[in-house]
Amino acid sequence: MKTIDTRELADWLDASLQASRFKDYCPNGLQVEGKPRVGHIITGVTASEALLRAAIQRGADAVLVHHGWFWKNEDPRVRGPRRTRLALALHHDLNLFAYHLPLDAHPQWGNNAQLARVLGLMPDCDTTGAPLTCGPDNLIWLGTAPGLPDLQALSQRVQQRLGRAPLVIGEPDRALKRIAWCTGAAQGMLDDAVHAGADAYITGEASEPTVHLARETGTAFIGAGHHATERYGVRALGEAIARQFGIRVEFVDIDNPV
């Protein structure tokens, strides 16, 4: 089986995702060091116990996720579920790679880019071909929904493609010219989407104030699921690793209704 040096893989990922340019809520990159060489990677959305056990069962050398460990302001003590997860990784010599905001933002493999592909959204681009963005760290993408004239049609497409009924705030016949989207827990960026002139904003989650802001501004809101909107970036990144290095990469979807 073909393998690659763990440090070489970490350097390639850091450079490809431009990890150093983000001020994130967690460390990006190699979070837990395991085997010195990697020939088999399991990718998934979150480094949960279930994903780690799936990687161990499949004989993987590394786990690559969007949601890793060591988040800002969380309890740093190693006990309970945290102890179990860390013990599994260390006992089985698993490398844990995690990329949060860098994976959201990547123009090709990122969560926003991949959600656009899955939903058939067309990103607006500048003169260089880069996607037009707004909001904190330019994480919100802007574009159109070709063939989807109103909110009802967009909502139906979201449900069909993501496999779950979204939370929808707005009139079904709301005409759509400009769409904004940012995967995951980006409901706090709805105001940025409003100021960008979006007719509808798609993200993963909703908070209590989200409903009022959507109603009062007339910008439709679609909460399509945190996990459901972020399954595609890490999978695309894994496929890119397989092409680049010729090693085995498998995506494992540990479903989460949130």
Side-chain angles (χ1 to χ4, degrees):
M1 179 177 67
K2 188 172 183 180
T3 64
I4 180 175
D5 183 87
T6 298
R7 289 293 176 178
E8 181 182 352
L9 176 58
D11 290 344
W12 183 85
L13 285 166
D14 287 347
S16 298
L17 295 172
Q18 299 183 320
S20 62
R21 80 177 180 89
F22 292 90
K23 186 177 180 181
D24 214 332
Y25 315 105
C26 61
N28 289 295
L30 181 60
Q31 292 190 337
V32 177
E33 188 173 2
K35 298 174 184 176
R37 297 194 67 81
V38 174
H40 184 189
I41 301 174
I42 293 298
T43 63
V45 177
T46 299
S48 62
E49 179 183 343
L51 186 67
L52 293 176
R53 291 194 182 279
I56 293 164
Q57 183 181 25
R58 288 165 169 77
D61 308 306
V63 172
L64 169 64
V65 297
H66 179 49
H67 301 135
W69 299 341
F70 315 116
W71 295 88
K72 184 179 179 180
N73 297 327
E74 72 176 2
D75 187 343
R77 291 175 290 184
V78 181
R79 62 182 190 178
R82 172 180 279 199
R83 180 192 182 281
T84 300
R85 294 177 181 181
L86 189 56
L88 283 170
L90 294 175
H91 180 72
H92 293 275
D93 219 11
L94 278 175
N95 292 284
L96 173 62
F97 296 91
Y99 291 91
H100 186 231
L101 295 183
L103 187 57
D104 286 322
H106 193 274
Q108 181 180 356
W109 311 318
N111 285 319
N112 286 332
Q114 290 298 311
L115 185 65
R117 177 187 63 80
V118 171
L119 296 182
L121 305 179
M122 181 65 68
D124 290 335
C125 296
D126 62 20
T127 55
T128 69
L132 286 180
T133 58
C134 67
D137 286 313
N138 289 307
L139 289 173
I140 298 175
W141 283 38
L142 302 168
T144 58
L148 302 176
D150 54 31
L151 180 60
Q152 182 173 355
L154 177 60
S155 303
Q156 290 173 344
R157 171 73 62 81
V158 169
Q159 180 168 351
Q160 176 190 26
R161 299 285 175 89
L162 300 189
R164 57 171 289 166
L167 169 68
V168 181
I169 308 298
E171 296 299 324
D173 59 356
R174 172 74 158 94
L176 303 179
K177 293 182 179 179
R178 169 167 267 193
I179 308 295
W181 64 95
C182 184
T183 66
Q187 63 270 35
M189 300 182 193
L190 173 58
D191 194 49
D192 295 287
V194 171
H195 285 293
D199 299 302
Y201 177 56
I202 305 170
T203 187
E205 300 183 26
S207 298
E208 195 275 342
T210 307
V211 175
H212 302 295
L213 183 59
R215 288 171 176 169
E216 292 167 13
T217 61
T219 298
F221 176 86
I222 296 180
H226 193 140
H227 179 88
T229 58
E230 295 194 328
R231 287 178 297 200
Y232 307 102
V234 73
R235 187 169 190 168
L237 179 58
E239 292 169 353
I241 292 171
R243 290 191 299 269
Q244 178 72 20
F245 298 106
I247 61 176
R248 184 182 177 192
V249 182
E250 295 180 82
F251 175 73
V252 175
D253 189 17
I254 307 295
D255 192 33
N256 186 329
V258 172

